[in-house]
Amino acid sequence: MSVAWIGSQPVPLADAVRTAAKLLASSRCPVFSLDADVHGTRSAIALAAVLGAAYDHRSGDAVAREVALFTDHGGMFTTPGEVRRRSSLIVLVGDIAPAHAELFKGWGGSSPDLGDKAPRRWFQVSASDRPTRRGKAVVKAVPLKGEGLSLNATLAVLRAELQDRMVAAPLQNVERLKKAMASAQFPVFVFSGGSLDQAGLVMLQDLIVDFNSRHRLSSLFLPDDDDAWGTVLTSLWMTGFPPRTGFINSLPSYDPVRWDVQRMIREREADVHVWMSARGGEDPPKRGSAAVIALDKTERPARGAAVTIAVGEAGLDHDGVRYSSRVGTFTAVRAAEPSPLPSVSAVLRQLAEAMPGKGTLIC
Amino acid sequence: MLTRLTGGEVVDPVNGATGIRDIWIRDGVIVDPREGEAADQTHDVSGCIIMAGAIDIHSHIGGGNVNTARLLLPEHHKAHLPRPAATPLSNAGWSTFQTGCLYAQMGFTTVVEPAMAPYTALHTHLELADIPIIDRATLAILGNDDFTLSLLRDGKSEAMIDDYVAWVVGSTRALGVKVINAGAAAAFKENVRAFSFDDEVPEYGLSSRKIVKSMQHSVTRLGIPHPLHVHANNLGLAGSADTADVTIAATEGVPMHLAHLQFYGYGTQGKRAFSSEAARLAESVNSNPNVTIDVGQVMFGQTVTISSDVMRQFSAIDKASPKKSVIIDGDGNGGGGIVPYSYKRNYYGTLQWAVGLELFLLIANPWQVFFTTDHPNGAPFTAYPEIFELLMSSEARDARAVELNVAALEMTTLASIRREYSLEEIAIMTRASPAKLLGLKDRGHLGAGAIADIAVYRRGKDIAKMFREAALVFKNGQLVVKNGKVSAYRWGKTLRLNPPPDRAMVKRMKAYHEDRYGLPLEWFTFPDSAIDRDEPFMEVPWNS
Ligand SMILES: [Zn+2]
């Protein structure tokens, strides 16, 4: 089985590494699209620093929206463990990413053992025109919506209702929710990055802060993509910044517009693109003119890539560390089906060593 | 290789009087050379003073809350980059990489992150492992989790409590134990908004006093070298000096460390009902030799407060500047709040600044008072050089006081205190004493057998400059800083205790996590290999 290709030609791994290193060494503007576990991300950012490259997550836009909630606003949050143990009232906000179904199942099948210890009740805030699809199969929630209201508008009306202000048209089931909130000791609103836009995220947090002036209420943030959120956290400690960071004179600079890697590729600023897909099943972007170095969980060359190197997935092919929404932090994962595929981190270290005059990574 | 530092004035109070003598290094360790032996390498450090590498016992340098602060405040880094002198935070080592470099440049070689939530231990250790050059350590937070509170409520045996504390310390790779407003985070989840030493956590019927005393005795019984590290109740409030007093009284002769005492130095006197009780608190420390404290000095300017004291941080969100904050109701001992804050030269800021200095100067024994800003809560650690100057020069204090709020200064004894710290006292406070407090016998002094963590400072009139830019710094014998700039990178170790886990406790933990969290224990623990670095940890022995 081949593990490395130059163009569509199978080659020994060392040849592919050497070719990739040459491409990077001669690049004017290299960029990275990250998709790896913590150690892959650490190695990638360390290499980006050496190269003076910019990096972003592969799903840059979705990640940028989640990041902006914090950089622009902040909020009140809790953890999945605390919700399971303490929240007898769970309010889902919008459509939660289906990846979190297991978590909801766990809550559905258990009762809180702390706080009010009441049986769990579920509500779901949604737009009037959108039937809730995702997550519906897992839990049965009381719908909260209003005639002709978008999700953000529904949240705005809900906030007014919870402050006992006048509203033009009441939300369906809102009295039931108000009653539940009055009796629950630690209710929680659950949202994911994809379930709300920026204005909705801010609206939700304002509602929560208001409510906390007298009662307790928190929110649980479930990232749209756990690995992407792990990359955000790793980036923060390594450079002080979230992704969409570039290195100028080896100093990191964060600029969500300038270092939007998709944009840099589209507008032909980038000339070499290190594209990762440690989970496989994706293709590098078609547009732009950048030469693609693909670190892909694949058995064939990645579409349009100058170099493809097959990599394994942490927790499947090899051990690693990944962010998990089940615990709200990093967790060590063991290889479930150990394979000889190298980790992203191992490939990047080899790449760094093959760079002419660049030496080994500090990370 | 044998290295010799010659011509320097050695300030090493543990090993004798200050004077000019040579320091010899072989294989990363300080040695006495054999008769007639010649050095392979000699550094002439005439005109310099030589101290052991400094040790910071309380600085929030890594882990979930620190990282959330980075997420909340990217502009604190970016906006200030072009004018680093104007804003201390821009120098503050926002990334792990800068943290190691900036500490090393000041001659610090070991730093303790004092607030690791046990369930985010892996995250904390990943960050600490990415801090270059220096050694790190961390304290595990206890006192707010259901398991501890249930053991105490149910009157379980001391042996079982000890087994649990030891399991937490071991599995999280901690060097000690800290309580943070013990019981308050649990109470806040049940809508309690104020929590004092004798208030009780709902559901458990346990006072903060009971939790603190239980943890203090457990740490002592177990032989954990560092005494229980206590972040007391009522931080920052007018009248918090009374809380500090009752907490000190409750130590009953058993060792305890009180963190950032400055934030508890306030009375309720004066027009603004906010006054200094530092003199009284210092007296209380002076008469309780079992108690140690660190100061948590406030300096002026923009910073961000990072604390697991979620109840206190929630109460501060209205004062956030800029106007954004993150509050987390975490698992058990985790969570907290991140609230940006700017210390102004007004009445309140001035009083806090003066209270810190009063504590430094009125606590007589330099072995009892530790040098901290509670980074970044009182000020970023990059403000240390200025604070050394304030401690060593009453003239510098007078000069600074002129710019500050007169009414506040009149509420303090600061102007009347003329004490100036000697270099020996600085060496005790920042080297010898931290090593002793943490149980690190291999550092904090320059005697033969100590690891060669060495800071060389060029003597000069400008005390702040001297401490800001070490002339030379050696870490484990390797030269890492030259003329105030990092000259070589290396990876340090994270210092930890490694008690053998009690088998019955491990069984209990497995059952507890599967039952309460619906997940196997492995989701909450990790092997050393998860750090992905060669030998990331170094074991520190227990007290026998
Ligand atoms: Zn602190």
Side-chain angles (χ1 to χ4, degrees):
Chain A
M1 194 183 83
S2 300
V3 293
W5 298 264
I6 294 175
S8 58
Q9 213 48 44
V11 296
L13 179 61
D15 291 1
V17 166
R18 209 176 313 115
T19 304
K22 264 191 215 152
L23 273 172
L24 285 171
S26 60
S27 168
R28 273 178 306 98
C29 182
V31 293
F32 285 67
S33 294
L34 308 176
D35 174 41
D37 80 331
V38 167
H39 300 311
T41 303
R42 282 163 96 195
S43 298
I45 293 174
L47 181 58
V50 170
L51 293 168
Y55 66 87
D56 193 353
H57 192 266
R58 208 190 57 206
S59 20
D61 285 336
V63 172
R65 190 172 55 241
E66 295 181 342
V67 162
L69 167 65
F70 292 89
T71 55
D72 297 356
H73 196 77
M76 295 184 72
F77 307 94
T78 188
T79 60
E82 210 54 28
V83 173
R84 179 189 169 99
R85 299 195 61 182
R86 198 178 285 276
S87 298
S88 61
L89 172 56
I90 294 171
V91 183
L92 305 176
V93 182
D95 290 346
I96 310 292
H100 302 296
E102 277 299 304
L103 184 63
F104 294 169
K105 253 188 227 160
W107 296 345
S110 61
S111 289
D113 72 308
L114 300 174
D116 58 38
K117 302 187 186 75
R120 252 189 267 278
R121 281 165 295 179
W122 298 72
F123 287 79
Q124 183 156 26
V125 186
S126 43
S128 67
D129 55 342
R130 277 178 68 189
T132 54
R133 283 158 290 139
R134 305 201 286 182
K136 197 180 180 184
V138 182
V139 291
K140 223 170 132 49
V142 178
L144 274 165
K145 48 181 149 186
E147 195 57 42
L149 294 183
S150 68
L151 183 56
N152 289 1
T154 311
L155 280 171
V157 174
L158 182 58
R159 184 182 178 198
E161 290 267 17
L162 292 175
Q163 289 177 321
D164 288 321
R165 286 194 275 122
M166 304 263 287
V167 298
L171 301 176
Q172 180 194 344
N173 297 320
V174 75
E175 287 307 321
R176 277 176 78 181
L177 177 74
K178 283 168 81 169
K179 231 177 111 197
M181 286 188 66
S183 68
Q185 206 171 52
F186 194 75
V188 66
F189 280 61
V190 178
F191 69 99
S192 80
S195 73
L196 275 176
D197 67 10
Q198 181 65 15
L201 291 169
V202 170
M203 189 85 68
L204 174 63
Q205 288 303 332
D206 287 347
L207 177 157
I208 290 169
V209 170
D210 283 350
F211 200 78
N212 271 285
S213 62
R214 278 181 295 141
H215 309 282
R216 289 312 321 274
L217 171 64
S218 193
S219 76
L220 180 69
F221 164 55
L222 296 173
D224 236 23
D225 174 350
D226 277 6
D227 281 343
W229 195 248
T231 292
V232 170
L233 298 180
T234 306
S235 170
L236 282 162
W237 81 66
M238 287 191 71
T239 64
F241 299 122
R244 298 200 165 166
T245 287
F247 290 91
I248 305 171
N249 299 328
S250 69
L251 282 179
S253 102
Y254 167 62
D255 188 331
V257 177
R258 179 172 180 192
W259 306 121
D260 170 352
V261 161
Q262 293 295 326
R263 185 199 62 74
M264 294 174 78
I265 291 166
R266 243 181 359 252
E267 297 180 9
R268 295 170 184 257
E269 288 171 28
D271 58 359
V272 176
H273 181 198
V274 180
W275 178 86
M276 298 178 190
S277 178
R279 294 171 285 186
E282 302 274 338
D283 287 317
K286 271 186 186 145
R287 286 198 277 181
S289 55
V292 172
I293 299 167
L295 307 189
D296 191 2
K297 179 154 188 190
T298 182
E299 291 173 357
R300 55 192 163 75
R303 186 186 69 194
V307 179
T308 304
I309 297 171
V311 293
E313 179 179 354
L316 204 63
D317 301 284
H318 57 84
D319 294 351
V321 175
R322 296 172 82 161
Y323 182 86
S324 170
S325 287
R326 300 290 296 279
V327 286
T329 183
F330 291 107
T331 184
V333 289
R334 289 191 189 281
E337 300 162 25
S339 85
L341 285 174
S343 65
V344 168
S345 172
V347 171
L348 289 170
R349 283 173 207 228
Q350 286 184 46
L351 249 176
E353 272 156 34
M355 299 281 297
K358 293 289 185 180
T360 48
L361 299 180
I362 36 174
C363 286
Chain B
M1 192 175 81
L2 187 63
T3 303
R4 173 184 174 217
L5 306 185
T6 188
E9 192 177 357
V10 176
V11 182
D12 183 24
V14 177
N15 292 300
T18 297
I20 293 177
R21 67 177 171 93
D22 288 356
I23 297 285
W24 297 77
I25 307 168
R26 193 197 325 261
D27 300 331
V29 177
I30 295 172
V31 293
D32 291 328
R34 288 184 280 271
E35 186 80 28
E37 209 176 0
D40 301 297
Q41 190 182 56
T42 300
H43 296 272
D44 182 350
V45 292
S46 308
C48 293
I49 57 165
I50 305 177
M51 292 188 187
I55 302 169
D56 191 338
I57 66 156
H58 191 122
S59 173
H60 300 272
I61 52 170
N65 285 345
V66 175
N67 218 35
T68 303
R70 296 182 182 113
L71 178 56
L72 183 70
L73 294 161
E75 69 272 26
H76 276 227
H77 191 71
K78 183 177 148 190
H80 305 316
L81 260 185
R83 45 190 177 93
T87 45
L89 199 70
S90 60
N91 283 332
W94 218 214
S95 65
T96 46
F97 179 75
Q98 279 181 304
T99 299
C101 294
L102 291 167
Y103 259 116
Q105 286 167 14
M106 300 191 301
F108 280 74
T109 47
T110 304
V111 179
V112 179
E113 154 58 56
M116 173 174 65
Y119 286 146
T120 60
L122 174 55
H123 179 166
T124 303
H125 283 297
L126 286 166
E127 284 199 33
L128 296 184
D130 274 353
I131 296 175
I133 304 173
I134 62 173
D135 289 339
R136 303 83 34 173
T138 175
L139 307 179
I141 309 169
L142 278 172
N144 269 303
D145 61 293
D146 167 62
F147 195 84
T148 302
L149 301 184
S150 297
L151 287 179
L152 297 177
R153 176 193 56 201
D154 301 344
K156 295 295 185 192
S157 69
E158 290 181 347
M160 190 180 283
I161 293 166
D162 293 354
D163 287 342
Y164 177 61
V165 172
W167 179 80
V168 170
V169 167
S171 66
T172 65
R173 280 81 161 170
L175 187 63
V177 177
K178 184 189 192 190
V179 293
I180 297 178
N181 200 353
F188 183 56
K189 288 169 183 160
E190 309 212 4
N191 206 24
V192 172
R193 303 299 173 107
F195 200 70
S196 291
F197 201 51
D198 288 304
D199 289 341
E200 289 187 350
V201 188
E203 266 193 87
Y204 301 95
L206 289 169
S207 66
S208 196
R209 176 191 297 270
K210 166 81 178 164
I211 301 167
V212 171
K213 294 293 297 174
S214 303
M215 291 297 111
Q216 180 197 23
H217 287 300
S218 180
V219 164
T220 309
R221 280 193 304 267
L222 281 165
I224 294 175
H226 183 41
L228 183 69
H229 198 103
V230 176
H231 166 132
N233 325 87
N234 293 325
L235 181 139
L237 301 182
S240 54
D242 292 343
T243 303
D245 259 345
V246 296
T247 308
I248 290 171
T251 63
E252 297 172 298
V254 180
M256 183 187 283
H257 180 82
L258 281 178
H260 35 70
L261 192 62
Q262 180 277 129
F263 287 110
Y264 302 91
Y266 319 133
T268 53
Q269 303 298 303
K271 216 167 56 187
R272 291 179 181 80
F274 190 66
S275 55
S276 170
E277 291 288 336
R280 179 165 66 89
L281 279 188
E283 204 35 61
S284 179
V285 174
N286 288 338
S287 52
N288 285 276
N290 59 307
V291 170
T292 52
I293 69 110
D294 65 89
V295 170
Q297 178 67 33
V298 157
M299 297 292 271
F300 302 102
Q302 177 70 52
T303 191
V304 53
T305 64
I306 299 174
S307 174
S308 300
D309 188 344
V310 62
M311 184 185 282
R312 188 270 160 193
Q313 292 299 80
F314 176 73
S315 74
I317 60 176
D318 289 339
K319 296 196 188 87
S321 166
K323 278 238 146 304
K324 53 182 176 179
S325 56
V326 170
I327 297 295
I328 301 167
D329 285 287
D331 292 299
N333 301 294
I338 295 94
V339 183
Y341 188 76
S342 178
Y343 287 103
K344 301 271 180 349
R345 290 175 172 77
N346 57 15
Y347 181 87
Y348 297 96
T350 300
L351 191 100
Q352 292 185 293
W353 176 84
V355 165
L357 293 174
E358 284 183 283
L359 290 172
F360 268 123
L361 296 162
L362 293 174
I363 294 173
N365 181 356
W367 291 88
Q368 265 181 289
V369 56
F370 291 81
F371 184 92
T372 67
T373 58
D374 191 17
H375 162 82
N377 291 312
F381 69 80
T382 42
Y384 288 179
E386 282 70 37
I387 303 172
F388 285 127
E389 178 164 52
L390 293 172
L391 298 181
M392 295 182 73
S393 160
S394 57
E395 233 173 78
R397 294 197 292 272
D398 293 342
R400 205 66 203 279
V402 177
E403 310 157 7
L404 302 177
N405 184 287
V406 178
L409 290 172
E410 280 172 357
M411 299 294 287
T412 78
T413 62
L414 187 61
S416 69
I417 311 172
R418 307 319 290 172
R419 179 180 170 194
E420 295 182 334
Y421 269 71
S422 65
L423 282 171
E424 289 76 9
E425 286 173 322
I426 294 287
I428 289 168
M429 183 170 62
T430 58
R431 275 81 174 167
S433 182
K436 182 172 167 234
L437 185 75
L438 298 167
L440 308 176
K441 297 192 172 76
D442 62 354
R443 63 195 73 196
H445 67 96
L446 296 170
I451 56 169
D453 288 1
I454 301 169
V456 178
Y457 301 105
R458 203 162 278 120
R459 243 188 199 291
K461 269 217 160 65
D462 186 339
I463 296 169
K465 182 174 162 42
M466 173 173 118
F467 284 112
R468 190 179 300 117
E469 296 164 8
L472 299 174
V473 178
F474 296 85
K475 179 74 190 92
N476 290 75
Q478 184 184 354
L479 183 60
V480 289
V481 170
K482 262 197 257 185
N483 297 320
K485 293 276 171 292
V486 170
S487 57
Y489 295 98
R490 63 185 295 283
W491 292 114
K493 304 274 184 207
T494 300
L495 311 174
R496 63 165 297 195
L497 300 171
N498 195 8
D502 174 75
R503 284 178 46 200
M505 184 51 65
V506 173
K507 232 175 118 189
R508 216 170 226 282
M509 288 290 104
K510 282 185 175 158
Y512 180 82
H513 286 83
E514 273 163 28
D515 178 37
R516 309 301 173 94
Y517 293 96
L519 291 169
L521 185 59
E522 290 70 42
W523 282 70
F524 302 90
T525 57
F526 60 94
D528 282 4
S529 60
I531 306 301
D532 200 25
R533 228 180 257 301
D534 293 338
E535 297 179 39
F537 298 104
M538 184 179 134
E539 281 180 35
V540 173
W542 295 70
N543 286 344
S544 43

